[in-house]
Amino acid sequence: MVLENLSSSLKDVFKKISGSSYIDKETIKEVSKDIQRALLKADVNVKLVISLTNRLQERAATEKPPAGMSEQDFILKIIYEELLSILGEESRIELKPQTIMLVGLYGNGKTTTAGKLARFFIKKGLSVGLIAADVHRPGAYEQLEQISKQVNSLFYGEKNEKDPVKIIKNGLDRLGDAKVKIIDTSGRDSLDDELIDEIKRIKNEIKPDEVLYVVDATLGQQVGPQAKVLNDAVSISGVIITKMDGTGKGGGALSAVAEIKSPVYFIGTGEHMEDFEVFNPRKFLSRLLGMGDIDALMEAVKETNITEEEAEKSLDKLMSGKFNLKDMYDVWEKFSKPGLLKKIFNSMPLSRIPGGDKLNDSEIDRANEKLNIYRVILDSMTYSELENPDIINAKRIKRISIGSGKDEREVRALLKEYNAMKNNMKMIKSNRNFKKLLKSQMKSGNFGLEDLENIK
Ligand SMILES: Nc1nc2c(ncn2[C@@H]2O[C@H](COP(=O)(O)OP(=O)(O)O)[C@@H](O)[C@H]2O)c(=O)[nH]1
Ligand SMILES: [Mg+2]
C-alpha cells in the first residue's frame, strides 16, 4: 500500500491518543515526537514537519474542544487538519473540451500517464486524441501509438519530424473531432536549458489549457527544486504523481510538490492503464490513517460495471438459494480485473477487514491468484455442472482436474467454498430486513459496510 510505514506509525499515534485517559502537555509532546519520527521516515521535509508539530502544540495549548467533543478526539482532529494542510486543497481537473500538455523528466511516466488520462476522459464521455510530441526518445512514437490503441483514443504523430511545435499544430488540426487533446512531450535525464526552451516554446505557441507536471513519487524531496524550476518556466497548472505503488516514501514527493501550490489532480498506482486515481487529499489521508474510505470503495465497485438492475438480479438469485456456480463465476469475473481487488481492499476501513491491518499486498495477490485458478477450473466444467453443482461427483472432479490442469484438491476447495457461500446466503435469507436494507442502500448509492453490521 502507498506509504505503508507512515500509515502504520500514524495509526499507532492515533491509537495512543484515543487510548490515553487524559491529555496533558506531556502527552502532546510525546505525540509530537512520534509524528515527527513518522513523517521524517516517510521523507517529508524537515521544515514542514517541525512547523506542523509546532502548530499542533500551539493549538492544543490554546484551543478548547467544542462542546460534546472529547479532549482526545479534539487532538486527533487537529492532527488530521494539520496533515491535510500539507497535502493541499482538493481541486479536480475540469471535464470539458481542452488541450493538455504533459511535462516532466525521462522515465517519470509521462507517456503512460497520457494513456491513463485519455482513459479517464473517455470514461467520462469525452473523446480524446493523443499527440506524440516527444521527438527525442527513440520509440516514443510507437509507445504512445500502442497506448492509444489500448485505451481507444485517437492518435497523431509524425515519425520523422523533429520540431514538436509543428507536430502539435498538425495534430490539433487533424484531431479536431476529439474533445480532449493530450500532448506527450520530451523529457531529459535532468532539467537542462534545452528542455526548458523546448517546453516553453510549445507552451507559448500552443497555449494549452492545462500544463500538467508528471513526476515519479520515488524521487522524494528532490522533486521540490525540480517542480520550482518547471513552474517558473511554464507555470504548472496541476500535478500527477506516478508510481505511488512502488514507494514507501511518497511523502517526500507529495509534500515537495505542495510547495508550488499547484493541485495534485491524480496519482498513478501501477503500470496498467487503470492504475490511476483522482487525488482527493481528504480521502487519501483518511485511508492513510485507517479511517476507511467508503467513497473510494463505491467507485471501485462501480468499476466492475454492475448496473443496478444486474446487482438486484444477482441479489435476488443469491437470496433465493438458487445461486449456482455460474453465478459465482460471474461475480468473480467482475472482480478479477487487474488491480481491482487491491483497490477495493485498500479503500476498505481496516476494522471491517477480517484480520485487520494484517492484509497486505501479497495476501491480496494470493487472493487474486486463487480467483484465477478457480476461474480456470470453472472453465473446465460443463454447462450442466455449473447450473447444477450437486451432480459433481468424484469422477467428474477427476475429469475437471485433468481438463483444467489443476489439482483435484483445488477443485474440491472451490466446491467447498461454493457450498459455504450458499449456506451463508441461506442464513441471511431468513433475515428479511437484510434484503430490504441492502436494496435501499444500493439504490441510494451509499451502501457502507457498516450497514451490514447494523442489521440484527
Ligand atoms: N509502478 C508504476 N510504474 C509506472 C507508473 N507510471 C509509469 N510507470 C512505468 O514507468 C516507466 C516509464 O514510463 P513512461 O511513461 O515511458 O515515462 P516517460 O519517459 O516520462 O514517458 C514505464 O516502465 C512505466 O510502465 C506507475 O504509476 N506505477
Ligand atoms: Mg515518454
Side-chain angles (χ1 to χ4, degrees):
M1 184 187 149
V2 178
L3 295 173
E4 199 150 3
N5 293 332
L6 177 61
S7 173
S8 72
S9 38
L10 285 178
K11 271 181 229 154
D12 286 344
V13 172
F14 270 47
K15 262 185 228 152
K16 195 185 227 174
I17 298 170
S18 322
S20 57
S21 43
Y22 60 90
I23 303 274
D24 61 7
K25 233 177 156 177
E26 273 315 301
T27 326
I28 298 291
K29 250 197 198 150
E30 209 180 300
V31 164
S32 295
K33 282 227 177 73
D34 289 343
I35 294 177
Q36 284 175 358
R37 223 173 290 133
L39 292 176
L40 289 175
K41 258 201 199 152
D43 191 37
V44 177
N45 181 283
V46 175
K47 269 195 288 185
L48 272 177
V49 173
I50 302 291
S51 86
L52 185 148
T53 47
N54 281 347
R55 283 196 47 79
L56 165 64
Q57 294 185 10
E58 189 192 306
R59 290 184 62 184
T62 55
E63 295 178 20
K64 289 271 156 288
M69 186 182 272
S70 74
E71 194 77 38
Q72 284 83 344
D73 283 346
F74 185 54
I75 299 300
L76 294 180
K77 181 170 169 281
I78 295 177
I79 298 174
Y80 178 85
E81 286 168 2
E82 293 301 325
L83 285 170
L84 194 61
S85 75
I86 294 187
L87 294 178
E89 273 306 305
E90 186 194 354
S91 178
R92 293 196 175 209
I93 197 156
E94 281 187 79
L95 296 174
K96 59 164 194 195
Q98 58 187 309
T99 303
I100 297 170
M101 169 183 177
L102 303 181
V103 299
L105 292 179
Y106 265 161
N108 277 242
K110 275 185 308 302
T111 307
T112 312
T113 301
K116 291 178 175 182
L117 203 52
R119 182 177 176 271
F120 169 82
F121 281 112
I122 290 168
K123 278 181 73 180
K124 301 281 180 195
L126 289 159
S127 55
V128 175
L130 289 171
I131 301 176
D134 179 352
V135 293
H136 290 270
R137 186 174 231 182
Y141 174 103
E142 286 81 3
Q143 190 192 357
L144 192 68
E145 188 183 32
Q146 174 65 29
I147 283 176
S148 76
K149 282 189 190 136
Q150 235 174 302
V151 299
N152 279 323
S153 75
L154 298 170
F155 169 79
Y156 185 81
E158 293 175 28
K159 260 188 189 155
N160 299 315
E161 177 56 59
K162 285 291 165 218
D163 179 5
V165 173
K166 255 192 204 159
I167 300 177
I168 298 167
K169 282 187 172 161
N170 289 339
L172 291 176
D173 211 32
R174 292 282 291 279
L175 299 176
D177 287 344
K179 296 274 188 289
V180 179
K181 286 129 182 154
I182 301 170
I183 305 165
D184 182 26
T185 64
S186 305
R188 295 289 189 282
D189 288 327
S190 62
L191 278 180
D192 56 23
D193 293 346
E194 199 191 74
L195 174 66
I196 296 288
D197 286 347
E198 183 176 318
I199 56 177
K200 259 187 172 166
R201 201 163 74 82
I202 297 176
K203 159 121 202 236
N204 292 337
E205 298 212 25
I206 304 297
K207 301 197 171 42
D209 301 287
E210 298 268 0
V211 178
L212 303 186
Y213 171 43
V214 178
V215 64
D216 179 342
T218 56
L219 294 177
Q221 281 186 52
Q222 48 166 307
V223 163
Q226 197 187 100
K228 199 174 168 315
V229 173
L230 279 169
N231 193 35
D232 290 344
V234 289
S235 96
I236 296 165
S237 60
V239 180
I240 300 176
I241 302 187
T242 62
K243 308 191 195 180
M244 285 298 278
D245 52 312
T247 175
K249 290 198 165 188
L254 264 175
S255 56
V257 117
E259 282 184 70
I260 59 168
K261 307 262 181 256
S262 307
V264 177
Y265 283 145
F266 299 95
I267 52 176
T269 56
E271 294 188 15
H272 297 287
M273 286 298 122
E274 56 271 28
D275 299 332
F276 196 53
E277 295 176 17
V278 169
F279 183 70
N280 175 327
R282 278 173 199 280
K283 279 190 195 170
F284 184 81
L285 191 57
S286 306
R287 197 154 53 170
L288 199 65
L289 299 173
M291 292 152 114
D293 181 350
I294 293 298
D295 290 344
L297 177 61
M298 283 316 294
E299 247 175 55
V301 170
K302 255 192 234 148
E303 264 194 42
T304 60
N305 287 327
I306 305 176
T307 63
E308 194 186 300
E309 206 178 306
E310 272 183 299
E312 207 160 306
K313 234 163 88 189
S314 18
L315 203 63
D316 279 334
K317 240 199 181 143
L318 283 175
M319 298 293 158
S320 71
K322 281 189 198 126
F323 181 67
N324 61 27
L325 279 170
K326 211 177 143 295
D327 303 317
M328 189 153 124
Y329 183 90
D330 287 345
V331 175
W332 282 347
E333 176 110 306
K334 295 217 160 83
F335 282 90
S336 64
K337 285 191 192 167
L340 186 64
L341 211 57
K342 198 185 260 179
K343 228 188 234 169
I344 290 178
F345 273 113
N346 279 345
S347 51
M348 280 215 222
L350 281 176
S351 56
R352 315 278 178 219
I353 301 175
D357 17 22
K358 280 188 222 95
L359 202 81
N360 56 33
D361 277 5
S362 67
E363 278 162 306
I364 294 173
D365 287 344
R366 266 208 299 283
N368 254 329
E369 231 169 77
K370 195 172 87 175
L371 279 193
N372 284 333
I373 293 177
Y374 282 1
R375 263 157 27 98
V376 174
I377 294 175
L378 289 170
D379 276 333
S380 294
M381 292 185 182
T382 64
Y383 193 77
S384 53
E385 283 163 352
L386 291 173
E387 284 275 294
N388 188 9
D390 290 341
I391 63 170
I392 304 179
N393 54 19
K395 205 170 132 202
R396 285 177 185 262
I397 289 177
K398 193 162 185 192
R399 192 210 76 236
I400 295 164
S401 156
I402 293 168
S404 61
K406 301 291 171 199
D407 214 278
E408 276 186 42
R409 263 178 317 182
E410 286 169 321
V411 181
R412 286 181 204 279
L414 178 147
L415 291 171
K416 205 167 147 196
E417 208 150 311
Y418 159 72
N419 280 321
M421 208 161 161
K422 197 170 162 182
N423 282 336
N424 279 341
M425 288 305 150
K426 270 192 201 143
M427 251 163 56
I428 291 172
K429 192 185 149 199
S430 56
N431 189 333
R432 251 189 278 138
N433 288 336
F434 178 82
K435 193 173 164 191
K436 228 168 69 194
L437 193 117
L438 203 56
K439 271 194 173 171
S440 75
Q441 296 282 0
M442 276 194 336
K443 278 209 181 101
S444 68
N446 50 24
F447 175 67
L449 290 167
E450 60 265 41
D451 296 318
L452 285 177
E453 289 179 7
N454 292 335
I455 308 164
K456 283 277 141 62

